[in-house]
Amino acid sequence: MLTPTAYGLAIVLDLLVLFIGARFLLQPEASATGYGVPAKPNAYLTIKGLRDFSYGILGLALLAFAGTYAAAWFMLVVALNPLGDTLIVLRNGGTKAVAFGIHFATAVVVLISAALLFAV
């Protein structure tokens, strides 16, 4: 039962990051507002979109071709992004609800995913 849960959560998280990246590439202003720090469309929003899109693809590729151990390390490292996002939102006038309810909660779920993948 642990294996389907570990793979399922990791796949869902990778697909969500892929979606977030695509949204930043296609709708940067709306995505920035959803991120918690509104911004006008610029190169940095496109960079964030590309980063997230690439991380989603990389996570899926690791699951498909390298296995759970590599995917677990990836999730562990990539959890730094939503932790950093939490601080960015807080330091730039975003709300605590967005910082903790979206970004910090995401980091916790990604760390749970890493733990499940390590346990498989």
Side-chain angles (χ1 to χ4, degrees), residues 31-77:
S31 298
T33 300
Y35 175 87
V37 183
K40 294 180 181 176
N42 60 44
Y44 293 107
L45 297 180
T46 304
I47 291 166
K48 180 183 175 1
L50 186 59
R51 175 196 80 170
D52 288 347
F53 193 83
S54 298
Y55 284 154
I57 291 173
L58 178 59
L60 292 170
L62 287 171
L63 281 171
F65 303 113
T68 56
Y69 193 68
W73 277 106
F74 171 75
M75 289 293 192
L76 190 63
V77 171

Side-chain angles (χ1 to χ4, degrees), residues 5 9 19 26 32 40 67 70 72 85 93-94 99:
T5 303
L9 181 58
F19 170 77
L26 299 172
K40 294 180 181 176
D85 291 345

Side-chain angles (χ1 to χ4, degrees), residues 71-96:
W73 277 106
F74 171 75
M75 289 293 192
L76 190 63
V77 171
V78 91
L80 294 172
N81 288 329
L83 288 172
D85 291 345
T86 302
L87 296 175
I88 290 167
V89 170
L90 290 172
R91 292 182 69 189
N92 289 281
T95 66
K96 289 181 181 180

